[in-house]
Amino acid sequence: PKQIRANIPYVLKKTGKTYDIPEWLLNSPVTIYRAEDQGPATKYLSTLQDFKGTKQRILICDDDVVFDQDTVKEYEKAIQNFPESAVAAFGAEFKRKVNTDNNSLDDIYFQETECDIYAGKIHPIMAMFFPHKKLESISEKINSKSIDMVYGAFTYCIAADMVNPDELALFDTMPKEAYFVDDVVMSANLSANNISKKVIHHLPVPRITYSSFLSSVFSYLFHTTHESEALSQTVNVEHKNDNVMIRHFKHVWGTKPF
């Protein structure tokens, strides 16, 4: 890649924790940008602003995942094959209630036990994380699958001009839940701009770090949470925030993914 960039706030608003950058990271190939904490969207807002209106491709990921060695190369291949799409290794199709009389959308929501969830090349151990979900691994024959939502936790790639970063940060004009669900807000903006989102069969799903793995296992086995900065283990665990925002953007999704 041209640059490996980490957007790190000075203070985490949720906890008041100060982020001090260690010397080893300052001396690494990673370029550090300090930014205001804007929730999970902090990881992309300033980057998209810097490349606003350009064709620059940006691979967006969380900081608690481990990439396969060929991840960037595989994304470059996916971009060549789907130049007008946002491409991802993992994504979901929402559950819809469609009015068949006028082909309009009565309701739309996300529920893991009901929604179809698609993955590219996923490690068998990672697949074990989703025994209660309708997870389908995309085959080479199918090649790609259109989705409603890209998963911020499992990496996706967009061109900077596919979205307007100013609209992604309009938290004052959106329900308060928008602050916690960057992937829903991003996916809605892509749909509003008629950008298709696709899971591609050969894109590797990143593995999560050991600390995140243990956090997930703890929460799953004991149906509780412990001190964690991962929103999936705290405020987003029941998908209430997701569904508030999915319904807020009901007008952009259409009657099926495109």
Side-chain angles (χ1 to χ4, degrees), residues 13-203:
K13 288 180 180 178
K14 187 175 70 168
T15 64
K17 176 182 177 181
T18 300
Y19 283 112
D20 297 317
I21 311 301
E23 195 68 27
W24 66 265
L25 186 55
L26 291 172
N27 294 326
S28 75
V30 178
T31 302
I32 306 297
Y33 283 80
R34 305 310 296 265
E36 177 191 355
D37 179 17
Q38 294 181 284
T42 305
K43 64 175 171 278
Y44 61 63
L45 284 175
S46 64
T47 304
L48 288 170
Q49 196 67 246
D50 287 348
F51 292 99
K52 183 178 179 179
T54 73
K55 296 292 184 183
Q56 177 63 51
R57 277 282 180 166
I58 301 169
L59 191 63
I60 298 171
C61 62
D62 279 359
D63 61 0
D64 60 347
V65 297
V66 180
F67 280 173
D68 286 358
Q69 185 174 354
D70 294 331
T71 293
V72 174
K73 183 174 72 175
E74 292 298 329
Y75 268 92
E76 286 178 339
K77 183 164 69 173
I79 292 165
Q80 290 173 2
N81 293 331
F82 299 92
E84 304 301 323
S85 297
V87 295
F90 204 92
E93 180 177 348
F94 298 145
K95 193 71 175 179
R96 287 167 166 81
K97 294 181 180 179
V98 179
N99 186 327
T100 56
D101 292 336
N102 57 13
N103 200 37
S104 63
L105 201 58
D106 285 343
D107 194 17
I108 185 167
Y109 60 92
F110 178 70
Q111 174 52 254
E112 290 170 339
T113 55
E114 298 180 40
C115 294
D116 292 320
I117 299 175
Y118 302 101
K121 188 170 67 174
I122 187 168
H123 192 281
I125 293 178
M126 278 294 295
M128 292 171 60
F129 271 84
F130 309 99
H132 58 301
K133 302 175 183 178
K134 297 172 66 177
L135 176 67
E136 178 184 339
S137 186
I138 305 300
S139 68
E140 184 174 0
K141 182 178 180 180
I142 296 176
N143 189 35
S144 68
K145 190 73 178 181
S146 294
I147 53 172
D148 290 305
M149 182 174 69
V150 293
Y151 267 67
F154 292 119
T155 310
Y156 57 92
C157 184
I158 65 170
D161 66 353
M162 290 179 175
V163 293
N164 183 338
D166 298 325
E167 295 177 356
L168 293 170
L170 291 175
F171 296 115
D172 291 342
T173 67
M174 293 187 282
K176 66 182 186 300
E177 288 82 359
Y179 183 81
F180 301 106
V181 287
D182 61 302
D183 40 14
V184 176
V185 176
M186 171 65 78
S187 298
N189 275 263
L190 289 166
S191 288
N193 292 332
N194 295 313
I195 303 296
S196 62
K197 293 153 291 192
K198 296 182 182 296
V199 170
I200 312 300
H201 80 92
H202 60 82
L203 291 180

Side-chain angles (χ1 to χ4, degrees), residues 4-18:
I4 301 173
R5 174 169 172 158
N7 298 322
I8 303 177
Y10 291 97
V11 178
L12 181 64
K13 288 180 180 178
K14 187 175 70 168
T15 64
K17 176 182 177 181
T18 300

